[in-house]
Amino acid sequence: MAIDKALLKDLAERRARVAAGGGLAKLEERRSKGIMTARDRVEALFEPDSFQEFGAHVTHHAHDFGLSGKYLPADAVVTGVGYVGGRPVAVFSQDFTVAGGSLGKMHAQKICNLMEYAMQSGMPIIGVNDSGGARIQEGVDSLSGYGQVFHHNVQASGLVPQISVIAGPCAGGAAYSPALMDFLIMIRGQANMFITGPDVIRAVTGQQCTMDEVGSADTHGAVSGNIHFIAENDEHAIQIAQELLSFLPSNNLDDPPHRPGSKISMSADPGMDELVPETSKDPLDVLKVIERLVDDGHLFEVQRDWAKNIIIGFARIEGIVVGIIANQPMVKAGTLDIDASDKSARFVRFCNAFNIPLVTLVDVPGFLPGVQQERGGIIRHGAKMLFAYAAATVPKITLILRKAYGGAYLAMCSKDMGADMVFAWPSAEIAVMGAEGAANILFRKEIKEAADPVARAAEMVAEYRSRFATPWQAAENNMITDVIEPSMSRPTIALALRNTLSKRETRPPKKHGNIPL
Ligand code: HXC
């Protein structure tokens, strides 16, 4: 008694046809250009022999426009589960060699089934986009398929992390699936993403533009803020996804992969004291502060090229995974503007959804003044930061390095806005507004009438600064937990994280708040 050999032969042949995608010649053509195939990407992402494929034999049911009777291997998308860092991750990877990776009814069904599986089992989703968009031959079935994918993206949001790799074309409405996910990685020179490309823009508006201007990784990484990471090639994109996953929990009920040691090192770091410039006018490079604060000096920076006046990213402090949000005084003096507000608010929301403690570093002179900012809605955008921080229930630790003025001080997670612990360096300037502005308002008449108005103004600024632009009024009013030497920042924050890690904060049940969008 044994299984009929012909059945096994048939199975092997079917498997080989699936593995060949759009044909061995097409696969080789891509590889010769240094571009991975859909299956190469899956293999590179996962630990060896850990991938289990779902629906390999699914194929389309269209009967029109030349696709009739045509077999589309895996219906142009490889789906399944494999292991990254010892944890299961769900992947779908579009196969451009099969009908241009286009999305039809069965293609969409495979993606949706995978997402349902990932949500039920509590594992992250990675989607590799490489597609000509809706499969034109399938008509509204394709449109409906996109609708279902978007719906599943939204259901998965906040339940499991979703990462999108844009590895090829991602055009029109198709771009909304990645946009609904948490992190987008885009490959420079190989991928493009747009709602309407140069041809449509020219036809409708008469505006001339290039694909690079509207759809390249550099445009989305530095100008539109639509993506989070730029990769140089497929391998690099996969490395970024793997490193990103190393900071994230598998789902919203899990803790992130903390690696605490048994004891926190309480030794001081004199190098941190030396980083503080002598006058508050000289900018402090906050990246140097972060480097000394986090384990191995390693910040996994997110959206590095966009809204550079604020830094966001993941790191570990004495093994505890944290999300870092820091003003960068080297760019636009560290002011908060529309883009910086959007960037940081969304990051805070992600960290809160996935139990990642927040460490906020403050050196902010205020919101960026300007007609464009006001007319662009800085009130609405800045409010996102206030909302995101106040709504977050994860541990929130704030360290005030230097300037912390006005509404921007509140927006950077002050105690009143819900920080669990706030520390300040002695160089902190916590005040309702900057010294120059305050002196001008309070003593305008006196300055004007003085024999030497310039000298008098300087005196009043100095007087205001010494009385108000310090950490001491805030400390006396219980607005900060402690004033610390810069050299003690790392041990202080490490202790604060350990002490707040078991925090449980419940809020009255409601459908959801109404964040200003
Ligand atoms: C069916 C498609 C397809 C599609 C490409 N192909 N896009 N088949 N539906 N949407 C097929 C091609 O016919 C070709 O088949 C193969 O894929 C490779 O395509 P090429 O054009 O030869 O490749 P390339 O020169 O690299 O150009 C890639 C491309 C181009 C830029 C993506 O194919 C293109 O512009 N496609 C159409 C893009 C588009 O307009 N999509 C929007 C659809 S409507 P053969 O058999 O010759 O190899 C839409 C709305 C969705 O997406 C809304 C959702 C909310």
Side-chain angles (χ1 to χ4, degrees):
M1 295 265 282
I3 187 163
D4 182 347
K5 292 275 188 315
L7 292 178
L8 293 180
K9 186 164 171 274
D10 178 51
L11 172 60
E13 282 168 6
R14 284 173 183 270
R15 283 219 178 112
R17 265 206 307 169
V18 170
L24 295 178
K26 280 190 179 172
L27 299 186
E28 279 318 311
E29 191 196 331
R30 284 175 76 87
R31 290 182 182 129
S32 69
K33 291 183 195 156
I35 303 173
M36 283 188 179
T37 68
R39 285 178 188 277
D40 291 345
R41 288 168 181 151
V42 171
E43 203 177 302
L45 174 66
F46 292 134
E47 285 154 24
D49 299 324
S50 71
F51 179 58
Q52 185 162 45
E53 186 164 352
F54 297 170
H57 303 289
V58 170
T59 191
H60 81 114
H61 295 303
H63 299 284
D64 223 335
F65 296 115
L67 274 190
S68 181
K70 205 170 170 188
Y71 171 66
L72 300 185
D75 208 58
V77 63
V78 181
T79 60
V81 170
Y83 278 68
V84 178
R87 296 182 298 168
V89 174
V91 73
F92 67 87
S93 175
Q94 294 183 307
D95 185 348
F96 192 81
T97 69
V98 179
S102 56
L103 180 143
K105 182 177 174 175
M106 300 312 289
H107 182 123
Q109 198 178 93
K110 281 182 73 174
I111 294 176
C112 292
N113 285 166
L114 181 86
M115 288 204 268
E116 278 159 24
Y117 180 84
M119 284 186 261
Q120 279 162 8
S121 309
M123 64 179 74
I125 297 166
I126 296 189
V128 185
N129 291 73
D130 191 353
S131 165
R135 188 173 299 153
I136 296 160
Q137 297 92 331
E138 292 197 35
V140 291
D141 273 350
S142 307
L143 195 57
S144 156
Y146 269 116
Q148 289 171 33
V149 171
F150 300 164
H151 189 264
H152 279 74
N153 283 135
V154 175
Q155 304 318 307
S157 184
L159 275 186
V160 293
Q162 299 184 80
I163 300 169
S164 173
V165 177
I166 317 293
C170 185
Y176 284 117
S177 174
L180 289 166
M181 296 174 98
D182 298 304
F183 295 102
L184 284 76
I185 303 164
M186 194 166 169
I187 303 178
R188 181 177 270 140
Q190 184 176 311
N192 51 59
M193 180 168 67
F194 51 86
I195 297 297
T196 52
D199 295 343
V200 177
I201 292 176
R202 194 178 314 114
V204 176
T205 70
Q207 286 175 305
Q208 300 280 345
C209 65
T210 63
M211 177 61 85
D212 274 0
E213 280 173 301
V214 294
S216 66
D218 286 300
T219 290
H220 292 308
V223 183
S224 71
N226 282 334
I227 67 165
H228 301 80
F229 304 94
I230 297 178
E232 296 306 328
N233 50 37
D234 284 294
E235 287 87 354
H236 189 209
I238 288 163
Q239 277 166 19
I240 293 170
Q242 289 167 331
E243 184 168 7
L244 178 55
L245 286 170
S246 77
F247 292 101
L248 310 184
S250 293
N251 58 65
N252 65 327
L253 300 178
D254 275 2
D255 282 332
H258 300 307
R259 298 184 204 130
S262 53
K263 202 163 174 280
I264 292 172
S265 161
M266 291 304 292
S267 49
D269 171 14
M272 196 72 111
D273 287 337
E274 281 158 30
L275 283 183
V276 187
E278 274 176 24
T279 77
S280 81
K281 284 219 159 81
D282 297 319
L284 165 66
D285 184 353
V286 81
L287 277 172
K288 292 194 175 140
V289 175
I290 297 171
E291 211 178 288
R292 304 197 84 95
L293 206 59
V294 302
D295 294 357
D296 306 318
H298 181 53
L299 171 73
F300 182 65
E301 199 176 336
V302 175
Q303 291 187 309
R304 195 177 53 197
D305 302 314
W306 182 59
K308 292 172 164 187
N309 39 336
I310 203 148
I311 306 275
I312 57 171
F314 298 106
R316 284 185 170 80
I317 297 180
E318 292 278 353
I320 305 299
V321 173
V322 293
I324 295 204
I325 302 101
N327 306 116
Q328 174 53 292
M330 307 296 284
V331 181
K332 295 184 184 170
T335 50
L336 294 177
D337 60 1
I338 289 171
D339 287 349
S341 303
D342 284 4
K343 174 176 166 178
S344 45
R346 184 155 164 81
F347 185 67
V348 167
R349 299 285 278 181
F350 176 83
C351 291
N352 187 51
F354 291 103
N355 313 316
I356 298 173
L358 298 167
V359 172
T360 304
L361 306 180
V362 187
D363 188 355
V364 66
F367 282 94
L368 180 67
V371 175
Q372 253 184 341
Q373 290 292 310
E374 295 298 332
R375 289 174 67 91
I378 182 64
I379 295 173
R380 181 174 81 252
H381 293 276
K384 294 178 198 187
M385 287 186 77
L386 295 161
F387 195 109
Y389 269 125
T393 54
V394 286
K396 293 178 281 192
I397 315 294
T398 300
L399 175 63
I400 302 171
L401 314 179
R402 302 202 306 169
K403 297 185 176 78
Y405 285 125
Y409 151 71
L410 301 177
M412 290 300 292
C413 202
S414 67
K415 189 131 186 226
D416 300 295
M417 291 303 296
D420 297 294
M421 296 200 203
V422 179
F423 300 96
W425 288 355
S427 49
E429 303 171 20
I430 306 170
V432 68
M433 67 186 297
E436 283 80 4
N440 191 34
I441 291 170
L442 291 178
F443 310 113
R444 184 178 303 154
K445 194 157 172 268
E446 193 181 329
I447 291 169
K448 218 170 139 188
E449 288 167 359
D452 183 347
V454 176
R456 188 71 189 128
E459 269 171 34
M460 299 320 290
V461 166
E463 163 80 6
Y464 177 88
R465 198 187 294 284
S466 68
R467 285 184 50 199
F468 294 113
T470 71
W472 299 112
Q473 194 195 6
E476 285 160 16
N477 285 291
N478 203 19
M479 289 154 63
I480 49 184
T481 313
D482 202 1
V483 181
I484 59 168
E485 299 83 354
S487 60
M488 289 305 289
S489 300
R490 182 176 150 90
T492 304
I493 291 177
L495 266 184
L497 284 166
R498 294 284 171 99
N499 294 339
T500 50
L501 216 51
S502 56
K503 173 187 173 190
R504 292 284 176 268
E505 189 178 335
T506 43
R507 306 271 172 100
K510 59 182 167 183
K511 235 175 162 180
H512 57 73
N514 190 13
I515 187 164
L517 293 173

